[in-house]
Amino acid sequence: MKKVAVALVMACMLIGASFVEVEGNLTCDQVTIWLTPCISYAVLGGDVSPLCCQGVHSLNAAYKTADDRRGACQCIKDKAANIPGINYDRVNQVGPKCSSNCPYKVYPTTDCSKVK
């Protein structure tokens, strides 16, 4: 129960602090809103929620340029670094679990400037 509370608090913090713009047409706010439902899986495991998959599909549909992909990558990387207990292997499983391809993997060492 404590982990769920931490995940919910972090989700609220991420939404509240997500007004940074990413490169391209997407904003970090949009990326954060779409992917917030994925936080519980990234921290606790279990099942990926339908809302998480909906957000992943929305994000992938919103990519129009390489700048969009690079900006979203940087946003996800920056936000994930602030989530206690985040499991990057789970983060990178979300796309396949939602039957969606992600054009990059997110780890603390990911160089988002190289995303195409």
Side-chain angles (χ1 to χ4, degrees):
M1 188 63 158
K2 183 178 177 183
K3 287 184 179 183
V4 172
V6 169
L8 289 174
V9 169
M10 289 307 300
C12 291
M13 289 172 62
L14 286 176
I15 289 172
S18 62
F19 294 103
V20 176
E21 286 202 22
V22 297
E23 295 177 27
N25 296 318
L26 292 176
T27 65
C28 193
D29 186 42
Q30 290 170 307
V31 174
T32 302
I33 289 169
W34 285 328
L35 299 184
T36 293
C38 303
I39 293 172
S40 61
Y41 174 76
V43 173
L44 304 171
D47 293 327
V48 176
S49 74
L51 281 176
C52 172
C53 289
Q54 181 180 351
V56 169
H57 290 284
S58 294
L59 176 59
N60 284 334
Y63 291 138
K64 302 296 183 217
T65 66
D67 281 344
D68 287 337
R69 290 183 290 280
R70 285 189 286 270
C73 173
Q74 191 63 51
C75 175
I76 295 164
K77 178 181 166 184
D78 292 346
K79 298 296 182 179
N82 294 318
I83 300 174
I86 191 96
N87 180 310
Y88 287 93
D89 290 331
R90 281 195 214 116
V91 167
N92 291 300
Q93 292 170 0
V94 169
K97 287 187 175 281
C98 293
S99 300
S100 181
N101 292 325
C102 183
Y104 47 83
K105 299 287 186 194
V106 177
Y107 293 98
T109 58
T110 299
D111 183 352
C112 293
S113 71
K114 294 183 178 178
V115 170
K116 297 183 183 208

